[in-house]
Amino acid sequence: MRVDVFTQVPHAFGWLTEQKPLATVLGTELELRLFNYRDTTPLRAGQVDDDPYGGGAGMVLRVDVVDAALRGAYGDDRPKRVVALTPQGRQLDQQLVEELAAEPAIAVLSSRFEGFDERIVSHLCTDAVSIGPYVLSGGELPAMVLLDAIARRLPGALSDGSGELESFSSALDGGIEYPHYTRPAEYRGWDVPQVLLSGDHGRIESWRREQSRVRSGG
Ligand SMILES: C[S@@+](CC[C@H](N)C(=O)[O-])C[C@H]1O[C@@H](n2cnc3c(N)ncnc32)[C@H](O)[C@@H]1O
């Protein structure tokens, strides 16, 4: 799959591309391209944003700048999903991650300051996605959240089995995962549940299912 991120801060993604599991699939299952709006802006001196009509604080990312960036990257052949990252969008959840990870290519648009000219979201994008009901200073962290969540779903990203039975997976009916424990079996009087030390895989499996069900409010 290919993910194209449009940003004013492409170097912010350097850290993420070195981290597993994204680093594992980069160059094979995942192609990541970073586009800087400044490289294709039709305005002088790398300008990408402007004062809001009607007044008020902050700068707004311009529609002509984003359109030029998309044309520069795709001509008239844009990916089926063009995602604007905005706190006003549909909240990201595992279902949306799976949906996007199934696409051959997506474009992800981030903004800064006051955000997008509304015409970007309504005319140039197919989706508006929020990573949660709070406001960050820019779309780079949300883009990295989305990228990491997608990368985990790509073939070969995770060791066998570790991506199938985790929180929000269909294997757990969309619920959250059961608790994990490791050595020591007892620490300051805090014991690991006996069933996990029993070696009885049938009992362990049903205990885990039950824990997942209870923790998910089922
Ligand atoms: C400071 S925010 C703009 C907030 C906007 N003025 C509002 O009140 O909804 C700047 C940019 O950061 C990104 N951003 C901030 N919070 C986000 C969130 N929760 N989810 C997705 N993107 C977010 C978006 O790209 C947004 O345009």
Side-chain angles (χ1 to χ4, degrees):
M1 137 175 232
R2 197 187 69 226
V3 180
D4 297 330
V5 178
F6 294 77
T7 169
Q8 283 150 269
V9 200
H11 59 267
F13 293 80
W15 171 83
L16 182 69
T17 56
E18 291 168 4
Q19 307 305 311
K20 286 183 180 175
L22 196 136
T24 310
V25 288
L26 204 56
T28 53
E29 291 294 331
L30 178 67
E31 184 188 354
L32 172 64
R33 301 194 302 178
L34 299 169
F35 294 93
N36 190 336
Y37 298 116
R38 291 185 204 288
D39 293 340
T40 45
T41 179
L43 308 173
R44 278 188 299 167
Q47 184 188 348
V48 297
D49 46 19
D50 225 320
D51 300 317
Y53 279 126
M59 300 293 275
V60 177
L61 187 60
R62 286 176 55 136
V63 63
D64 50 352
V65 167
V66 173
D67 201 24
L70 292 171
R71 277 184 200 290
Y74 308 117
D76 287 326
D77 191 19
R78 297 181 181 178
K80 214 170 80 196
R81 307 286 287 262
V82 178
V83 177
L85 292 168
T86 160
Q88 304 169 19
R90 166 181 171 189
Q91 202 153 309
L92 185 66
D93 58 15
Q94 194 63 32
Q95 190 192 328
L96 182 52
V97 169
E98 307 286 342
E99 229 178 274
L100 294 173
E103 293 289 335
I106 62 169
V108 177
L109 309 188
S110 68
S111 187
R112 296 194 75 78
F113 311 114
E114 272 315 303
F116 297 102
D117 181 307
E118 191 58 28
R119 292 167 292 183
I120 297 168
V121 182
S122 50
H123 295 290
L124 298 179
C125 295
T126 57
D127 298 75
V129 171
S130 163
I131 64 158
Y134 43 82
V135 179
L136 299 168
S137 307
E140 289 71 31
L141 289 171
M144 287 191 243
V145 167
L146 181 58
L147 264 168
D148 185 75
I150 287 176
R152 294 177 64 75
R153 304 313 304 153
L154 300 180
L158 303 175
S159 54
D160 271 354
S162 62
E164 284 141 37
L165 207 69
E166 62 181 3
S167 295
F168 317 117
S169 63
S170 50
L172 292 176
D173 301 322
I176 55 175
E177 206 187 28
Y178 45 80
H180 295 283
Y181 298 88
T182 187
R183 294 183 184 87
E186 187 274 336
Y187 182 71
R188 293 176 57 190
W190 306 328
D191 291 328
V192 169
Q194 269 307 312
V195 60
L196 297 177
L197 309 176
S198 69
D200 181 337
H201 295 297
R203 274 183 61 217
I204 292 171
E205 175 64 14
S206 22
W207 180 84
R208 285 179 165 167
R209 292 264 162 204
E210 178 60 9
Q211 290 291 311
S212 169
R213 196 185 59 73
V214 170
R215 286 153 70 98
S216 308

